[in-house]
Amino acid sequence: MTATGALQKQAIKVRAYPLPTFANEGKLARVHALLGPWRDALGGMQAQLHRQILTGQPLMKRMPTKITDLTFTTELSARQVKSVYNQTFQALNSWTGLVRNAVRELIGGSGLDDETRTVLYRVNARKAWYAKELVLPILVNKATGEVRHSDGKPGKGWAAAELPVPAELLKLCRHMVKQVGKRAVSLPDLSRVNTMLMDGTIAQVEPSKNSSFDYWIRISTLVKRDVAWIPLKAHRFFIDSPGEVSDFVQLNVLKDGSLQFVLQKKSPIARPRPEGEYLGLDWGMKSLFAASDGRLFGVGAMPHLTELDRQALELAKSLQRQGIRLKTNRRYRNFQRRMREYIVNEVNRILNKLSTEDIQGLVVEKLDARGGGMSREMNRLVTRFGRAAIRKKLAALTEDTGLDVIEVNAAYTSKECSSCGLVHDGNRKGLKFSCRFCGRKTHADINGARVVLSRRSWHTQGDSKTKSQRGTVRQRLDDAFKARWGCAPPTRGSTGSRIPGSRRRSAVRLATAPSQAPVRMRENVEKVP
């Protein structure tokens, strides 16, 4: 394969960058006038495509009908309607993808037999929940009659056949989708969005030929043959980012009614790093990150964030006493913006630094807002702004630098000892971790990062367990402890016994004979920073 051919097969990443505009009010008003008709068209297009899904028809990537075949009326042009269709398709395709993932979890957690689950998995993979009839391709061994569920071509000794899906299984799929829609993945209402995705047929991006501005956007308005030329100024971050500018514009209407113009850049995704160590990261209580190698990152950021958060809460209470809505107060919005920008900048700075090190990947907790292990103050700050920034940055690092990112289940990472594997409520007190079984002492966040790193083995075994319930994870950890040490882990509520060989009292009672308990070694004791 030639170098050109290899580049064509390499995956492409797309990044969005909002750029400031200096257009006059008249131009902005003509563009803003598109929002109302655009919303109405999105709502009508969504209803039309959703009806197709409910009748078992697949979504078509390209608009299959003419504008005269639409079930709704619109004042948009035919080219603008095509952009509306593309935006609707992307939204519904993303929604059906989320539904498919949620249904797959329901199937995996059900008590159905293996054959039934296999058929349901294949129906779900095709998103054929509403099909009236469905036939799945299978392979049959000519000699033994063995059946394999496969979409591939038959090999030697195998013959292609078809398996009709029973009507009751299709009905079960529809029931699962209904439950998922009520509890987990609701259908979005596109008629309320404030974003217009305009492709090159109605919004062309052209480099500026003078030094006043960097780009001009040519946008078709509601009036036939009328276009608005919008000037944009590129910032340094956009200029330094790799890739080519796409002929595509994302137009956001902000809460204050102003317009935000977003351009895209396309570039090849970096190939995975071939070698190097993995580093575990834990979201700290008094630091943004703790690493499995003993480093703490973002310690100095916490006092600043805590002070900003205190001021924001005081202002919120004052505004609420006065009956003023928080979203309408400029000072409160500025506090929110400053906290968000500060956290994003700190997260990006830390993760950028780690990406330059000689490591192959990072092992992190699954980013789930329901996870514990953080103080209430930190949980509020990070949940509000940090998690989205972390998730976005880690995805960017994977695409830009080839860094492998593995998410593991966060359950009990703050209570599990990274040395012996004991999970106990009394192991952690604030920033101090002192194991009740082996006596290991270390910084609690660093211990958590090492536990996170150890769970990489779950992922490499093809079992990441990021969706498992806490009780399932606890049972797995207790079973591993028993298999390793030959004794059951100490009970959560037991107190007061001495571990043989230890120079201090344990706060738990061993459930087995003293001779089976491990002896605490001096080298297991670490100083708590």
Side-chain angles (χ1 to χ4, degrees):
M1 181 183 295
T2 63
T4 303
L7 184 60
Q8 291 176 348
K9 288 184 174 296
Q10 192 171 354
I12 300 298
K13 64 185 178 185
V14 178
R15 293 285 170 77
Y17 305 88
L19 299 184
T21 182
F22 298 89
N24 58 48
E25 294 299 327
K27 290 182 178 181
L28 295 177
R30 287 153 58 197
V31 175
H32 194 285
L34 285 168
L35 179 62
W38 196 282
R39 278 177 161 181
D40 294 338
L42 281 174
M45 190 70 74
Q46 177 182 4
Q48 182 170 339
L49 295 185
H50 190 238
R51 284 194 294 269
Q52 293 181 9
I53 295 176
L54 295 179
T55 57
Q57 302 179 44
L59 288 175
M60 305 298 292
K61 190 171 184 178
R62 294 183 178 274
M63 186 173 175
T65 59
K66 298 180 180 180
I67 191 171
T68 55
D69 299 328
L70 298 176
T71 58
F72 59 93
T73 58
T74 179
E75 57 183 301
L76 299 178
S77 67
R79 292 183 301 168
Q80 291 169 336
V81 169
K82 288 184 178 180
S83 289
V84 169
Y85 179 87
N86 293 337
Q87 183 172 349
T88 308
F89 170 82
Q90 292 180 23
L92 291 183
N93 191 52
S94 176
W95 171 72
T96 54
L98 295 175
V99 170
R100 179 180 57 191
N101 295 339
V103 171
R104 184 171 61 237
E105 292 180 20
L106 287 180
I107 297 172
S110 68
L112 301 172
D113 60 87
D114 292 343
E115 175 66 20
T116 301
R117 283 193 294 180
T118 299
V119 174
L120 291 176
Y121 278 135
R122 298 186 70 190
V123 175
N124 183 57
R126 288 166 167 76
K127 301 180 181 179
W129 314 295
Y130 298 100
K132 303 302 181 182
E133 296 179 351
L134 184 65
V135 176
L136 298 176
I138 59 174
L139 300 179
V140 180
N141 191 292
K142 297 177 181 179
T144 64
E146 178 189 353
V147 175
R148 287 185 180 177
H149 288 272
S150 174
D151 294 336
K153 295 181 179 180
K156 186 177 180 180
W158 293 83
E162 293 182 340
L163 176 68
V165 179
E168 58 267 20
L169 291 188
L170 292 176
K171 183 178 180 180
L172 178 58
C173 281
R174 292 192 291 271
H175 177 71
M176 288 182 174
V177 172
K178 184 177 180 180
Q179 294 301 313
V180 165
K182 289 181 178 179
R183 301 179 181 180
V185 187
S186 58
L187 181 69
D189 184 2
L190 300 184
S191 65
R192 303 178 62 181
V193 302
N194 291 322
T195 298
M196 295 180 280
L197 304 182
M198 303 178 175
D199 53 31
T201 59
I202 61 173
Q204 295 84 38
V205 181
E206 300 180 6
S208 177
K209 297 180 180 179
N210 57 56
S211 59
S212 300
F213 306 104
D214 296 298
Y215 292 95
W216 288 88
I217 304 177
R218 184 180 184 272
I219 298 179
S220 300
T221 64
L222 292 176
V223 180
K224 189 175 182 179
R225 295 190 180 90
D226 177 51
V227 296
W229 289 89
I230 306 297
L232 299 180
K233 190 73 174 177
H235 45 69
R236 179 57 55 186
F237 182 67
F238 178 82
I239 296 173
D240 294 341
S241 299
E244 298 181 356
V245 180
S246 302
D247 218 15
F248 179 91
V249 176
Q250 176 180 324
L251 180 55
N252 301 324
V253 181
L254 305 181
K255 292 181 179 180
D256 59 1
S258 61
L259 299 180
Q260 182 186 62
F261 297 87
V262 182
L263 299 188
Q264 290 185 348
K265 274 190 171 184
K266 293 183 178 180
S267 59
I269 293 178
R271 300 188 183 278
R273 299 185 180 186
E275 57 185 13
E277 299 293 331
Y278 278 81
L279 189 68
L281 283 185
D282 184 32
W283 321 132
M285 290 181 63
K286 296 299 182 181
S287 61
L288 289 182
F289 297 101
S292 55
D293 61 3
R295 290 180 291 172
L296 298 175
F297 299 96
V299 177
M302 295 311 302
H304 180 68
L305 289 173
T306 302
E307 177 60 22
L308 285 178
D309 188 55
R310 185 191 63 79
Q311 296 178 26
L313 289 176
E314 289 182 356
L315 178 60
K317 293 178 181 178
S318 175
L319 294 174
Q320 290 170 352
R321 286 194 297 266
Q322 301 174 54
I324 300 176
R325 297 182 60 187
L326 301 181
K327 294 182 180 179
T328 62
N329 184 265
R330 179 178 297 180
R331 185 182 174 193
Y332 183 80
R333 293 201 306 269
N334 286 338
F335 271 118
Q336 298 285 309
R337 177 184 56 80
R338 288 168 59 189
M339 293 188 336
R340 178 175 62 252
E341 292 176 351
Y342 188 83
I343 290 178
V344 170
N345 290 336
E346 283 295 298
V347 166
N348 291 345
R349 179 185 64 82
I350 295 168
L351 294 181
N352 281 334
K353 181 179 183 299
L354 290 175
S355 68
T356 62
E357 298 181 358
D358 187 20
I359 58 175
Q360 186 175 359
L362 297 173
V363 185
V364 299
E365 292 178 344
K366 178 170 175 54
L367 294 171
D368 189 342
R370 296 170 296 177
M374 294 185 297
S375 67
R376 183 169 56 184
E377 175 184 279
M378 183 65 179
N379 189 49
R380 181 174 62 252
L381 289 171
V382 176
T383 301
R384 187 180 298 168
F385 301 129
R387 293 184 185 275
I390 294 168
R391 182 182 291 109
K392 182 178 179 180
K393 186 60 181 178
L394 289 176
L397 289 178
T398 298
E399 295 179 349
D400 294 342
T401 69
L403 192 71
D404 186 24
V405 177
I406 298 175
E407 287 187 352
V408 299
N409 199 303
Y412 299 104
T413 53
S414 63
K415 299 177 181 179
E416 180 186 351
C417 177
S418 60
S419 178
C420 68
L422 172 68
V423 179
H424 195 277
D425 294 341
N427 280 349
R428 178 169 185 166
K429 291 184 178 180
L431 294 179
K432 296 181 179 181
F433 189 95
S434 180
C435 181
R436 299 302 183 92
F437 186 73
C438 68
R440 185 182 185 90
K441 292 183 178 180
T442 185
H443 192 287
D445 291 339
I446 294 174
N447 177 81
R450 290 170 179 168
V451 172
V452 168
L453 179 61
S454 69
R455 295 190 184 181
R456 174 176 168 250
S457 60
W458 298 7
H459 180 87
T460 56
Q461 295 169 4
D463 182 18
S464 61
K465 295 292 183 183
T466 58
K467 295 289 186 180
S468 297
Q469 298 295 324
R470 288 178 61 86
T472 304
V473 176
R474 179 60 183 266
Q475 185 62 49
R476 176 173 183 164
L477 295 173
D478 288 347
D479 291 345
F481 180 92
K482 184 176 181 180
R484 180 180 181 183
W485 299 110
C487 61
T491 58
R492 304 179 194 181
S494 56
T495 58
S497 68
R498 182 183 295 275
I499 299 178
S502 173
R503 290 180 294 178
R504 68 171 181 85
R505 282 190 173 273
S506 174
V508 298
R509 181 180 301 278
L510 296 177
T512 57
S515 59
Q516 293 177 312
V519 178
R520 188 187 70 169
M521 304 301 292
R522 183 179 299 275
E523 56 266 29
N524 279 348
V525 181
E526 295 184 1
K527 294 183 179 180
V528 180

